[in-house]
Amino acid sequence: MEQLQAGDQTIRFDRQRTIDAYTSITQGGAEKCGCSHCRNFAAQRDKAYPASFRQLLESLGITIEKEGEVYEYGRDDSSHLYGGWFYFAGVVVNAGERLTDADAGFQYYFVDAKHLPKPPADFGAEIAAVEFHTKIPWILAGRLS
């Protein structure tokens, strides 16, 4: 396993095991759900994740289009607030304060996945997740559902 430090958090991860698991996942959480909030997120996925977070996902072996879960949890004046997570093969060595700013309005942190729903693929015995929170505008035509 490789080790990575992000902010005050430390994780160990198995990149190849994570890549192998993602090859068996056919779609991400936003596509599985298909509600208007998830469709709004999926339509902006390329803009939702800052470059530094995309690089982190790549280094962990995570396929960016295959979130384990995406959810909308509110609005502010101009944006919708979203959260979600990606699974990976690994462990959280040092939980730290749990928030790392990747860009304005985007934060992430690592968690042990044992309290999350069962992943859609076999990541092995040690499974962790990187959770994120972000703001994006509403771009879909029509009303919210």
Side-chain angles (χ1 to χ4, degrees):
M1 283 197 166
E2 299 175 60
Q3 188 160 303
L4 181 129
Q5 181 83 31
D8 65 351
Q9 291 196 291
T10 306
I11 62 166
R12 284 197 318 265
F13 66 98
D14 184 333
R15 185 173 192 276
Q16 190 57 54
R17 178 95 191 212
T18 301
I19 290 169
D20 293 345
Y22 274 94
T23 61
S24 69
I25 299 172
T26 58
Q27 59 185 343
E31 286 78 14
K32 280 185 191 174
C33 174
C35 75
S36 60
H37 293 288
C38 287
R39 288 193 323 272
N40 184 63
F41 184 87
Q44 302 178 76
R45 186 180 276 126
D46 288 342
K47 297 174 189 165
Y49 302 129
S52 61
F53 187 70
R54 295 167 75 81
Q55 290 170 350
L56 171 69
L57 297 181
E58 169 64 27
S59 69
L60 295 173
I62 294 171
T63 303
I64 195 167
E65 298 84 13
K66 298 179 181 178
E67 302 91 355
E69 180 68 54
V70 172
Y71 55 89
E72 193 259 10
Y73 62 91
R75 294 188 239 186
D76 66 11
D77 292 337
S78 62
S79 302
H80 285 253
L81 309 175
Y82 280 87
W85 62 82
F86 291 91
Y87 295 102
F88 64 93
V91 295
V92 177
V93 176
N94 179 16
E97 292 296 315
R98 292 183 38 161
L99 285 180
T100 301
D101 289 320
D103 197 4
F106 189 96
Q107 294 182 317
Y108 70 91
Y109 52 92
F110 298 102
V111 297
D112 186 323
K114 67 183 169 193
H115 300 294
L116 297 174
K118 183 180 178 194
D122 181 8
F123 286 86
E126 297 181 314
I127 308 168
V130 56
E131 292 198 30
F132 64 87
H133 295 275
T134 191
K135 299 177 181 183
I136 58 173
W138 189 264
I139 64 165
L140 297 184
R143 299 179 56 180
L144 299 177
S145 63

